Amino acid sequence: MDYKAPENIFWLFSAAAQSIAAFVGFLAAGYIFINERMDKAVDLDGTLVDIYEVIRKQHYKRLKILFVLTGLSIVLSLSVTFLNSYNLGVWGLVYKCLVGGLDVFTVFLAIKFVLFILHPDRLKRTAKQMIDETKNVFVEDAVKH
């Protein structure tokens, strides 16, 4: 079997870009599905509005970070396929390792995001967090006066 490093690198990083893009596309679809479920839950129980707004903001913040990392991963992975034809020496190897690390990190964060949005106690934990924050505001006000 012949060792074909340039072809392997081309395949690896172009496939990584495609896989990450598809994976995050599925995450976006899942995020939309979760939002629709929250809307239905709010329609059934109006007392959940504030809690779900906090949850939506948490989801959006994490998804925005994930989309930025995904865009960066895709562009950098494709740049590795382009730059692979050039002899960059040790810097080329360092660049490939950094981009590969970013790709792995992006996938790790995507999996972490899925676990975050699907956590069964998300509603209870957010409600408890909101209650604790409210308690802290009242305690600070009482101490000031």
Side-chain angles (χ1 to χ4, degrees), residues 103-117:
D103 290 348
V104 170
F105 182 67
T106 302
V107 170
F108 170 76
L109 282 183
I111 292 169
K112 191 174 173 183
F113 177 74
V114 168
L115 295 175
F116 177 76
I117 65 174

Side-chain angles (χ1 to χ4, degrees), residues 7 20-21 27 34 39 43 51 57 64 68 76 82 84 88 98 102 116 123 126 128 139-140 144:
E7 288 81 13
I20 290 170
L27 287 179
I34 293 292
D39 287 340
D43 289 343
I51 296 170
K57 287 177 184 176
K64 185 171 66 170
V68 168
L76 292 178
F82 176 75
N84 194 46
L88 301 176
L98 288 174
L102 179 65
F116 177 76
L123 183 65
T126 304
K128 184 180 181 324
V139 169
E140 290 173 5
K144 288 180 184 177

